[in-house]
């Protein structure tokens, strides 16, 4: 069979394979041409001769044409193009067919800068042009790659990396960008981002999410994640990360910002989900190897991880009593804490355990009821406050009733008037109110103190429990300070262990008194030792007990300073404080407004007034509706 016959047969399937044409991917001058040296001075004629003349491209067809700064001569099986800058080069077969479709040398490709050449893998063929290339394989056909996408593909290794093009350059759906598809990936381009490649599992994820319509265009090629384990691609509106263990997942928006601020992969690990909607439809979350980040429009994005996350998830996560996180995890006394809409979870280093605080019993506005006002034991058969008064309390704007449920009195080792306690509790809950049972221990018999407090924790009326339990820490019956402190810490630790799911409040002396006005009243108060056992602090900030001469009779100053000092003494700038104000019938509504303003400025979670019988009705509008989450 002659060389020309071979050309004709193979040309019928748009592939030219000539005897001696391809040797290790390099164009070789046919043997017929080597027999006699080509001496033509015209570059097109010279190239035609070097290729084998009519045996390779067939006879000339028509006259030579001038196109721009160059010339072209057509032949039966192809064409030779020439410019002074590019030299003379042949284009034929399927590549020429594609070149003609896009407009030949007058198109965006310009003139050829090489003849048709075999690729290094022996599979494909290509011609380079002034502004691009056309690549061909039997499986893909012939396709154009040009401009910035061509430059990126070549820089990455061309067909050795992304495979051969399977499309020409295409527009994107939004009309902004351009793309070319290859066997193993894509290269996308916009004026703003330049050209970047996306491929493999990351490309599959990006496309599944909506490609540029969701995460925007790629702004990087795929790259290592920094730890030698994973891979990532960055897009205009987010990222997709991949590891063998996690697969490819997207992270974007506020959650991505928070994750990166924490250290990204180095801190929470790789994403193991895309961003997901929460069950209530309000929030969003992404799960990572070592934690989660949750976001809502109201709370922003915050991380939850480790033991605190485990406890939160066990309680229903964002759908539970605590709701969404409002802070990340931070250091507190001997441990770590995360705050949530409805409270906080604290982890203690010494035990490795966590404790949950539900703050709703201590939030908003509250009133106080002592044993002398309601119980038969101390108020007789006609007490000044009865469960029927719950209605008036609710109407006044009271959210929480602080009810003294026991007394450190050997005559009454159990709870006071349990039937009345139950009536208060049931009526309050029916009005959407909360009840905190409280007790004043003398610390002369810690076991008896603990028994009464445990009775409060265990108390039920119609299946309903007290919402929280408070310990009133002010009695000086035990004269020796160190003994008193030791017994107080012992009682507190045992109570915390016995009531792990109860939010405990410490009703404490005002630090302005113990730190400033009378440092001998209760020296060495064990703030730090008590911190692990109580979740809310209630300073008795009764400015009415102070004189004008002392400088502390001002409601705003006294309230604000006591809140600040409680936190300072604890060493916790954001400790949950629910301040107690009052007391007496002579206090004006304006003073309660000052109290509420100070509490708001300090970020106290709640305010309350001692007590119900001595608080004028006109005072309640100043505090009703108090709603501050804390600092």
């Amino acid at each position: 069979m002659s060389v020309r016959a071979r050309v004709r047969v193979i040309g019928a399937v748009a592939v030219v394979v000539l005897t001696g044409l391809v040797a290790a991917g390099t164009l070789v001058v046919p043997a017929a041409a080597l027999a006699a040296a080509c001496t033509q001075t015209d570059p097109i004629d010279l190239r035609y001769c070097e290729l084998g003349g009519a045996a390779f491209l067939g006879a000339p067809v028509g006259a030579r044409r001038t196109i721009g700064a160059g010339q072209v001569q057509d032949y039966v099986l192809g064409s030779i193009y020439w410019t002074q800058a590019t030299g003379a080069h042949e284009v034929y077969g399927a590549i020429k067919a594609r070149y003609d479709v896009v407009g030949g040398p007058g198109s965006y490709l310009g003139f050829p800068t090489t003849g048709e050449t075999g690729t290094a893998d022996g599979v494909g063929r290509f011609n380079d042009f002034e502004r691009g290339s056309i690549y061909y394989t039997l499986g893909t056909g012939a396709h154009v790659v040009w401009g910035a996408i061509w430059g990126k593909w070549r820089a990455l290794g061309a067909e050795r990396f992304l495979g051969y093009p399977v499309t020409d350059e295409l527009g994107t759906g939004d009309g902004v960008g351009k793309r070319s598809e290859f066997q193993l990936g894509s290269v996308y381009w916009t004026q703003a981002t330049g050209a970047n490649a996306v491929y493999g599992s990351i490309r599959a994820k990006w496309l599944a999410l909506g490609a540029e319509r969701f995460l925007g265009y790629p702004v990087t090629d795929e790259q290592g994640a920094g730890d030698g384990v994973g891979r990532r691609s960055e897009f205009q509106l987010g990222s997709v990360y991949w590891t063998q263990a996690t697969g490819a997942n997207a992270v974007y928006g506020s959650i991505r910002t928070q994750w990166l601020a924490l250290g990204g992969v180095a801190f929470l690990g790789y994403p193991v989900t895309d961003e997901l909607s929460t069950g209530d439809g309000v929030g969003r979350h992404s799960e990572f190897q070592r934690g989660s980040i949750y976001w809502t429009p109201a709370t922003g994005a915050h991380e939850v991880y480790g033991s605190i996350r485990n406890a939160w998830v066990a309680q229903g996560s964002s759908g539970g009593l605590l709701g969404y996180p409002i802070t990340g995890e931070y250091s507190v006394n001997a441990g770590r804490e995360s705050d949530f809409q409805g409270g906080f979870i604290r982890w203690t280093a010494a035990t490795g355990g966590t404790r949950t605080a539900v703050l709703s019993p201590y939030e908003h506005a509250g009133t106080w009821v002592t044993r002398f006002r309601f119980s038969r034991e101390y108020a007789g058969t006609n007490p000044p406050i009865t469960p029927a008064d719950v209605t008036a309390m609710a109407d006044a704007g009271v959210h929480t009733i602080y009810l003294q449920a026991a007394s450190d009195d050997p005559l009454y080792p159990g709870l006071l008037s349990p039937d009345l306690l139950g009536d208060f509790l049931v009526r309050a809950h029916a009005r959407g109110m909360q009840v905190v049972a409280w007790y004043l221990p003398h610390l002369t018999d810690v076991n008896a103190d603990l028994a009464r407090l445990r009775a409060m924790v265990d108390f039920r009326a119609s299946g309903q429990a007290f919402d929280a339990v408070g310990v009133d820490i002010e009695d000086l019956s035990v004269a020796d300070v160190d003994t008193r402190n030791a017994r107080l810490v012992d009682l507190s630790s045992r109570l915390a262990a016995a009531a792990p799911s109860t939010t405990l409040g410490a009703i404490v002396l005002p630090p302005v008194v113990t730190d400033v006005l009378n440092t001998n009243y209760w020296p060495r108060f064990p703030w730090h030792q008590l911190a692990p056992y109580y979740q809310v602090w209630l300073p008795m900030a009764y400015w009415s007990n102070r004189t004008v001469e002392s400088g502390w009779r001002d409601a705003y100053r006294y309230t604000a300073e006591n809140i600040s000092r409680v936190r300072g003494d604890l060493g916790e700038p954001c400790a949950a404080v629910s301040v107690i104000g009052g007391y007496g019938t002579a206090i004006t509504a304006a003073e309660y407004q000052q109290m509420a303003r100070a509490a708001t400025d300090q970020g106290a979670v709640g305010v309350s007034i001692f007590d119900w019988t001595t608080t004028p009705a006109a005072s309640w509008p100043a505090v009703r509706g108090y709603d501050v989450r804390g600092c």
Side-chain angles (χ1 to χ4, degrees), residues 113-485:
T113 58
T114 69
E116 185 176 300
T117 307
T119 54
D121 60 5
V123 173
R125 310 285 294 171
F126 72 95
N127 273 87
D128 285 339
F129 299 86
E130 289 177 293
R131 291 178 291 278
S133 303
I134 299 177
Y135 275 71
Y136 165 86
T137 73
L138 188 58
T140 62
H143 296 290
V144 175
V145 193
W146 73 291
I149 290 178
W150 176 56
K152 172 60 69 173
W153 179 60
R154 282 281 181 94
L156 290 172
E159 75 278 359
R160 298 184 301 280
F161 189 76
L162 285 181
Y164 289 89
V166 296
T167 69
D168 291 344
E169 186 175 292
L170 306 170
T172 53
D174 60 3
V176 173
K178 297 289 187 178
R179 66 184 171 96
S180 285
E181 301 298 325
F182 300 88
Q183 290 174 305
L184 301 177
S186 309
V187 178
Y188 278 71
W189 172 91
T190 72
Q191 188 69 45
T193 62
N196 295 288
V198 58
Y199 48 89
S201 296
I202 289 178
R203 174 180 175 271
K205 172 61 68 174
W206 179 60
L207 292 176
L209 290 171
E212 72 275 3
R213 298 184 303 279
F214 188 77
L215 285 181
Y217 289 89
V219 296
T220 68
D221 299 327
E222 185 178 300
Q223 53 194 271
D227 61 356
V229 174
R231 306 286 293 172
R232 68 185 172 98
S233 284
E234 300 299 323
F235 300 87
Q236 288 173 306
L237 302 176
S239 311
V240 177
Y241 280 71
W242 173 91
T243 72
Q244 188 69 44
T246 62
N249 294 289
V251 57
Y252 48 89
S254 296
I255 289 177
R256 175 179 175 272
T257 299
Q258 181 66 12
W259 178 58
L260 292 176
L262 291 168
V265 168
F267 189 74
L268 286 182
Y270 287 87
V272 297
T273 68
D274 297 328
E275 187 175 298
L276 305 170
S277 178
T278 52
D280 59 4
V282 173
R284 306 284 293 173
H285 69 105
S286 286
E287 301 300 319
F288 299 87
Q289 290 174 307
R290 293 185 290 275
S292 309
I293 297 178
Y294 277 70
W295 171 90
T296 73
T299 62
H302 301 287
E303 72 280 4
V304 193
Y305 55 92
S307 296
I308 289 177
R309 178 183 178 275
N310 293 340
W312 180 59
V313 169
Q315 296 170 53
S317 62
S318 61
L321 284 175
L322 291 178
Y324 289 91
I326 60 172
T327 71
E329 188 176 297
Y330 60 92
S331 293
V332 293
N333 272 325
R336 304 280 292 173
E337 182 172 312
S338 285
D339 294 338
F340 300 85
Q341 289 173 308
F344 61 84
I345 299 176
R346 175 170 293 196
W347 172 83
T348 302
T351 65
T354 60
R355 189 176 186 101
T356 297
V358 177
L359 295 181
S360 57
Y362 300 94
E363 292 178 328
H364 309 300
T367 191
W368 292 75
V369 178
T370 73
R371 55 184 169 159
F372 300 107
R373 305 295 192 188
F374 86 94
S375 72
R376 297 189 190 90
E377 293 85 346
Y378 290 94
T381 58
N382 190 29
I385 301 177
T386 71
D389 289 310
V390 169
T391 299
M393 295 176 185
D395 291 343
V398 171
H399 171 77
T400 297
I401 301 171
Y402 294 90
L403 186 61
Q404 188 176 11
S407 173
D408 191 351
D409 186 333
L411 293 176
Y412 309 113
L415 300 183
L416 300 173
S417 303
D419 60 324
L420 297 179
L421 293 178
D423 203 0
F424 271 105
L425 184 61
V426 171
R427 287 172 181 258
H429 284 175
R431 290 298 303 267
M433 301 164 71
Q434 310 243 328
V435 181
V436 176
W438 60 277
Y439 170 69
L440 171 60
H442 294 170
L443 300 174
T444 55
D445 185 344
V446 171
N447 289 333
D449 292 332
L450 181 61
R452 293 186 180 97
L453 286 164
R454 292 191 64 169
M456 294 179 188
V457 173
D458 296 336
F459 179 77
R460 296 293 184 274
S462 299
Q464 301 176 46
F466 289 120
D467 299 289
V469 170
V471 180
D472 186 354
I473 305 170
E474 60 176 306
D475 191 84
L476 305 182
S477 296
V478 178
D480 181 75
V481 172
D482 293 332
T483 301
R484 188 192 319 145
N485 285 343

Side-chain angles (χ1 to χ4, degrees), residues 12 29-30 32 42 97 120 222 240 334 341 545-546 566 575 595 610 624:
V29 177
D42 178 83
E222 185 178 300
V240 177
Q341 289 173 308
N545 286 347
R546 309 277 73 85
V566 165
M595 168 195 169
F610 189 93
R624 71 177 299 157

